[in-house]
Amino acid sequence: MQFTESWLKSLVNTPLNTQELGDKLTMAGLEVEELEPLAPEFSGVVVGLVVKKDKHPDADRLSVCQVQVAEGDVRQIVCGAQNVAEGLKVPCALPGAELPGGFKIKPTKMRGVESGGMLCSGKELGVPSDVDGLHILNNDFPVGGNVRELLGLNEMKFTLKMTPNRADCLSVWGVAREVAALTGATLNAPSFTPVAATIADTLNVKVENTDLCGRFAGRVIRGVNNQVKTPQWMIDRLEGAGQRSLNALVDISNYVMLELGRPSHVFDLDKVQGDLTVRWAREGEKLKLLNDMEVALKPHMGVICDANGPEALAGIMGGDHTAVNEGTTNIFVEAAFWHPDAIVGRAREFNFSSDASHRFERGVDFQTIPEHIERITALIIEICGGQAGPVVDQVLNLPTRKPVTLRHARAEMVIGMPFTVEQVKDVFTKLGFQFNVEGQGSNTSYVVNPPSYRFDINIEEDLIEEVIRVVGYDSLPLRAPVGKLKMLPAAEGDISRHAIRRQVAALGYQEVVSYSFTPEQWEADFNNNTDPVRLLNPIASHLSVMRSTLIGSLTGVLKHNLGHRVDRLRVFEVARVFEKDDKVQEGAQTVAGFKQTWKLGGLAYGLADQLQWAAGNNRALDFFDVKGDVEQLLHGRKVDFETFDTPNQHPALHPGRSARVLVNKQAIGFIGELHPKLAQEYDLPQAPIVFELLLDGLNTRKLPAFKEVSKQPVVVRDLAFVVEQNIAAAQLKKAITEVKDDNLGWLKSVILFDEFVPKEEGKGLNLNEKSLAFRLTLQAGDRSLTDADIEPLLKKMIDQAGQRCAARLR
């Protein structure tokens, strides 16, 4: 909401200066976002009279002008504007002047001709101008006068950042009401003197749907002259509010909308065929709007129609066919109350917004429509002439404003300071609320009838806000909080999501945050999800479903970085994923629903280490590098990595270079190299290593417990097994460590330290076999172990390795 200070002060007689007024509005909830002059700062620009114009001897597009800038002071100035002409008064920047942006004017030569200044366009001065070229000044301005002062460019412009509930302040009159309530200043209401009907002409309007339009008023005006120029005072106020002048009738309609918050529409009566009908649109109807957009209408959109079909989009924008132009002589002026629920969101369906829809969807005063019609009529006849017919006002279905009760004790408790009854009554009186006081003392209450323009007054808390807003937030006492705070109990073994993020970051990964919305193709490619959770109203056509895995988003991040020449990447994301769930409980019933699961996803790509000079160290990372990172994250837990069986192989992972991650024998995620077909499909030079883990497997830990360090010596034994090449080392290790023996507690560690795969027959191995060597460390807490102690345990390990993995000692 924009307006000039002089416009506001013409409606409310306040002695506050500009800054004080801005501060007062901001503290009352009408935030002043900008407070600036109408034009940016410039100096040294005076009114110049072009007394002579000659062609430049060496440039076809330049003119050599003699410009009078003061009594007896004529300067030679070279000008390139096409509209320069003798007898014009234009802005002239003299040497030493400074234009917006810090541009300083100096005497100069242009193509060999001396130039002692610069003739200025509106753009060069930061002044709105419809002229392509020099800004033409009023012929009444005195030669040599200060252009900035004569054009009133020092006047301040207010820009308010309005909250959605304060539709009543989307007008200068509404802001003036607020200023009067806050300061006690006197209001100067615009004139609503009825314009006498001098003709009997009317236009029949039938409202078919009262849930769309609750009140409709209009009148016929004949014999207007739309070729007249809009008065300068109105143009100045419109431009100060960010509106440009179009023609007199449109300017008047826009002016009243800004002045009173009343959107209206002016139809060219000669283009209207038959009567008007207000109704919901029908499927298949189309309408070309004033912004040249042709829209396909839908049944939940309101329209104003004539015999030919829709001519205006109700409460949003008029149609192009019945728009007024310079040749318009007969008009129909309408003003209506459109129910907010019937307007909200309709303009956004066509990806635009209008001043009218912005106001109607928040609520416009439904009681003052006839007065505002009179205001528009008076301005039209004053500026354009014509004869007015009677106002036809149809009251059909107006909102019911229920009284709202405010309890005095409740207001004091919520606000946190005491009030007198007189203070509260004074607030409601200043705001123009009708109210009754009931009860006495601590039982006092106020029954308020909200005005027709205050759609935000519905519950007791709304009135409490009005009390403290008008009394002033700066009057609240400064008191320390009285609430008693205490630490909430938290299990020491719990790990927060933030702590998990820090753990992953400590491993060299960078956190990314991406949309939970994802392309449907990613769901199919990275999770084989053919029935994802779909969005009813996606923010973009390709982000149409909710993701059930983080791998697609991380691959998208990799793809983006590769396009920016980043060839080594470690990224992770902690976020929710979304899946359908057919087991959601609603009371006693099980219904289809959705579940949200927190997961950690990671991706690594490029060299295992940063580029370095040491020979042999610039190798590409592999599965085991990232497996080590996952083991670090799961440190202190019983972790296993298990290869996928064929039916359950993850669709996004390489079949031979991937594994499930298990904690305490429960699957919590997976790790592996991206499938070659996906690397090729997404144009990746090499496949990244990815992992995804349930946060439920990461957010708890086993607390450390004291255990006495044994003073007994350790015993080391090496066992080398021959197994078939399809037997994983983890599978063999699991067989060794899961023997049933009372002395298994002696086993402190089992480490794979050698793998040998023959390239030819010999050395006791077949070509389909391999050798895996493990180092076992054993230690007792009470004595030194002997061979007699160890051998039975080792024999059980060897036997179980043979039974489970068909292993034999090498």
Side-chain angles (χ1 to χ4, degrees):
M1 178 66 195
Q2 290 183 356
F3 53 87
T4 58
E5 184 177 12
S6 63
W7 192 359
L8 176 63
K9 289 191 173 181
S10 70
L11 297 175
V12 59
N13 185 24
T14 174
L16 299 180
N17 63 37
T18 304
Q19 191 59 53
E20 290 171 341
L21 183 56
D23 293 343
K24 181 68 75 172
L25 288 172
T26 297
M27 287 302 296
L30 307 182
E31 181 184 348
V32 178
E33 191 172 29
E34 289 183 344
L35 190 56
E36 57 186 0
L38 284 177
E41 289 296 328
F42 63 83
S43 61
V45 182
V46 301
V47 178
L49 173 64
V50 181
V51 296
K52 187 178 181 183
K53 170 191 170 185
D54 295 314
K55 186 178 179 182
H56 192 289
D58 294 323
D60 292 340
R61 295 187 177 183
L62 297 180
S63 302
V64 180
C65 303
Q66 304 300 318
V67 182
Q68 182 182 354
V69 295
E71 186 68 31
D73 186 357
V74 177
R75 308 283 182 97
Q76 178 174 284
I77 298 176
V78 178
C79 178
Q82 298 301 305
N83 66 335
V84 64
E86 295 179 4
L88 286 182
K89 288 185 177 179
V90 294
C92 179
L94 300 177
E98 186 170 343
L99 299 184
F103 182 65
K104 295 183 178 179
I105 304 298
K106 300 177 182 178
T108 186
K109 281 188 177 182
M110 298 186 69
R111 293 290 188 93
V113 177
E114 296 285 347
S115 180
M118 174 180 171
L119 304 184
C120 302
S121 66
K123 183 178 180 181
E124 288 162 337
L125 298 179
V127 177
S129 178
D130 293 331
V131 179
D132 184 15
L134 298 180
H135 186 68
I136 309 301
L137 298 175
N138 192 312
N139 205 41
D140 294 335
F141 286 177
V143 173
N146 187 309
V147 168
R148 190 172 186 88
E149 293 179 359
L150 291 169
L151 292 178
L153 301 180
N154 289 321
E155 184 178 1
M156 299 303 290
K157 177 177 66 176
F158 287 76
T159 302
L160 303 187
K161 186 177 182 180
M162 302 300 304
T163 53
N165 63 318
R166 293 308 305 271
D168 61 297
C169 288
L170 290 173
S171 66
V172 184
W173 175 242
V175 176
R177 274 195 308 249
E178 283 292 301
V179 173
L182 297 171
T183 65
T186 304
L187 280 171
N188 304 315
S191 174
F192 299 127
T193 305
V195 175
T198 55
I199 59 175
D201 296 13
T202 60
L203 179 64
N204 291 328
V205 179
K206 180 182 179 182
V207 179
E208 291 186 355
N209 301 103
T210 58
D211 56 339
L212 165 64
C213 178
R215 186 172 188 175
F216 193 98
R219 80 188 314 169
V220 171
I221 305 177
R222 292 191 178 273
V224 300
N225 179 11
N226 199 30
Q227 296 181 3
V228 298
K229 181 175 173 57
T230 304
Q232 191 60 44
W233 64 267
M234 184 177 287
I235 292 176
D236 292 343
R237 288 183 173 181
L238 288 172
E239 289 178 347
Q243 299 269 359
R244 64 188 183 93
S245 176
L246 297 174
N247 58 60
L249 290 173
V250 173
D251 289 349
I252 292 168
S253 177
N254 287 337
Y255 177 80
V256 174
M257 177 187 69
L258 295 170
E259 181 186 48
L260 304 174
R262 169 68 59 199
S264 60
H265 186 61
V266 182
F267 290 88
D268 188 324
L269 186 61
D270 296 329
K271 298 176 183 177
V272 176
Q273 301 298 313
D275 299 338
L276 291 181
T277 303
V278 177
R279 59 171 172 80
W280 295 110
R282 294 166 186 157
E283 199 69 50
E285 289 184 321
K286 294 184 178 181
L287 173 63
K288 185 178 181 183
L289 300 172
L290 289 172
N291 61 3
D292 291 329
M293 178 187 290
E294 186 170 356
V295 296
L297 302 174
K298 300 176 182 178
H300 64 280
M301 297 174 180
V303 290
I304 302 175
C305 306
D306 65 3
N308 291 332
E311 296 293 355
L313 194 55
I316 298 174
M317 187 175 289
D320 178 71
H321 177 255
T322 55
V324 297
N325 54 39
E326 290 185 355
T328 298
T329 56
N330 302 312
I331 60 173
F332 176 72
V333 181
E334 67 86 6
F337 172 72
W338 307 101
H339 289 283
D341 289 343
I343 305 300
V344 66
R346 272 60 168 187
R348 287 190 289 277
E349 292 189 36
F350 300 124
N351 295 319
F352 75 88
S353 181
S354 67
D355 290 324
S357 66
H358 186 73
R359 288 163 172 79
F360 279 124
E361 64 187 10
R362 287 161 172 78
V364 174
D365 188 358
F366 49 82
Q367 293 291 9
T368 55
I369 291 177
E371 291 88 343
H372 293 176
I373 284 280
E374 297 291 358
R375 175 66 170 161
I376 298 169
T377 304
L379 289 171
I380 290 174
I381 292 178
E382 177 187 340
I383 296 168
C384 304
Q387 294 179 303
V391 175
V392 179
D393 181 20
Q394 302 181 61
V395 180
L396 306 161
N397 177 25
L398 298 183
T400 301
R401 303 310 309 274
K402 296 180 180 179
V404 181
T405 300
L406 170 65
R407 294 165 290 172
H408 191 97
R410 172 70 175 166
E412 290 184 335
M413 185 187 74
V414 172
I415 295 172
M417 63 181 285
F419 293 94
T420 65
V421 173
E422 292 304 318
Q423 276 183 296
V424 179
K425 290 168 63 177
D426 183 56
V427 168
F428 293 156
T429 301
K430 287 180 176 179
L431 290 170
F433 293 179
Q434 295 180 357
F435 64 95
N436 294 316
V437 181
E438 299 178 353
Q440 292 182 348
S442 61
N443 294 322
T444 302
S445 60
Y446 312 85
V447 181
V448 178
N449 293 306
S452 56
Y453 52 83
R454 290 299 298 269
F455 283 77
D456 60 317
I457 306 297
N458 296 298
I459 58 176
E460 185 176 24
E461 282 70 15
D462 297 329
L463 294 176
I464 294 174
E465 180 186 7
E466 293 301 296
V467 171
I468 185 57
R469 204 172 57 79
V470 176
V471 171
Y473 291 108
D474 52 359
S475 63
L476 286 168
L478 297 176
R479 287 200 300 261
V482 295
K484 294 181 180 180
L485 303 178
K486 63 179 181 179
M487 297 293 292
L488 297 176
E492 192 177 355
D494 291 347
I495 305 175
S496 67
R497 287 194 291 270
H498 181 66
I500 293 171
R501 291 185 175 99
R502 293 186 65 179
Q503 288 178 6
V504 186
L507 295 172
Y509 290 73
Q510 289 183 302
E511 185 176 12
V512 298
V513 178
S514 50
Y515 281 122
S516 295
F517 316 133
T518 189
E520 187 171 354
Q521 187 61 43
W522 285 10
E523 282 297 294
D525 288 344
F526 295 103
N527 205 26
N528 198 26
N529 185 5
T530 57
D531 187 23
V533 177
R534 301 183 185 278
L535 294 167
L536 295 177
N537 186 25
I539 61 172
S541 59
H542 66 289
L543 302 177
S544 58
V545 302
M546 303 295 288
R547 63 184 174 186
S548 62
T549 178
L550 302 177
I551 303 306
S553 300
L554 294 172
T555 304
V557 171
L558 171 62
K559 181 75 174 166
H560 174 81
N561 279 271
L562 289 175
H564 289 77
R565 303 177 64 83
V566 178
D567 53 10
R568 184 179 186 273
L569 194 68
R570 304 285 189 282
V571 292
F572 77 95
E573 182 169 12
V574 175
R576 289 186 179 96
V577 297
F578 304 83
E579 300 170 278
K580 291 187 176 180
D581 186 0
D582 294 331
K583 298 178 181 179
V584 176
Q585 288 294 132
E586 282 191 5
Q589 291 185 327
T590 301
V591 298
F594 308 99
K595 64 179 179 180
Q596 305 178 33
T597 309
W598 280 96
K599 287 189 177 182
L600 162 67
L603 178 146
Y605 180 89
L607 297 178
D609 297 304
Q610 296 284 357
L611 191 65
Q612 56 182 294
W613 61 270
N617 285 336
N618 296 328
R619 66 173 181 84
L621 66 83
D622 58 22
F623 172 90
F624 297 100
D625 293 307
V626 182
K627 177 175 176 283
D629 293 337
V630 173
E631 287 176 327
Q632 283 288 324
L633 292 173
L634 297 170
H635 179 70
R637 303 168 180 86
K638 182 173 176 51
V639 184
D640 291 305
F641 295 86
E642 188 177 85
T643 55
F644 288 98
D645 50 25
T646 303
N648 297 315
Q649 175 65 41
H650 195 285
L653 303 180
H654 190 298
R657 302 175 186 174
S658 58
R660 293 193 305 157
V661 182
L662 295 90
V663 172
N664 297 326
K665 298 184 180 181
Q666 296 294 321
I668 69 161
F670 59 81
I671 178 175
E673 184 179 300
L674 196 68
H675 200 289
K677 70 176 182 180
L678 291 177
Q680 181 178 9
E681 182 179 338
Y682 287 88
D683 197 23
L684 304 176
Q686 65 187 60
I689 310 299
V690 298
F691 65 88
E692 186 172 86
L693 306 173
L694 288 170
L695 236 58
D696 284 346
L698 293 164
N699 57 11
T700 56
R701 61 187 166 193
K702 186 178 180 181
L703 296 177
F706 172 75
K707 188 175 183 180
E708 186 177 357
V709 178
S710 175
K711 297 178 181 179
Q712 303 302 324
V714 298
V715 177
V716 177
R717 291 287 186 270
D718 291 344
L719 296 178
F721 293 95
V722 176
V723 294
E724 292 185 358
Q725 291 190 20
N726 63 345
I727 299 297
Q731 187 178 351
L732 183 56
K733 180 180 177 181
K734 189 175 181 181
I736 294 172
T737 57
E738 290 184 351
V739 296
K740 294 180 179 180
D741 192 286
D742 293 339
N743 296 322
L744 187 62
W746 293 343
L747 185 63
K748 302 303 178 184
S749 67
V750 179
I751 299 173
L752 176 70
F753 70 89
D754 182 62
E755 178 188 34
F756 175 71
V757 180
K759 296 182 179 178
E760 58 184 17
E761 292 283 354
K763 298 185 180 182
L765 277 77
N766 298 324
L767 285 178
N768 67 335
E769 295 179 327
K770 63 182 177 181
S771 172
L772 298 174
F774 294 90
R775 176 157 294 171
L776 283 63
T777 302
L778 301 101
Q779 184 184 38
D782 57 349
R783 59 192 172 87
S784 297
L785 296 176
T786 65
D787 288 345
D789 296 321
I790 296 171
E791 289 302 327
L793 177 60
L794 295 180
K795 185 177 185 308
K796 288 184 179 180
M797 292 179 177
I798 295 168
D799 291 344
Q800 186 153 295
Q803 293 169 10
R804 290 193 184 183
C805 304
R808 68 178 190 275
L809 282 179
R810 185 176 178 187

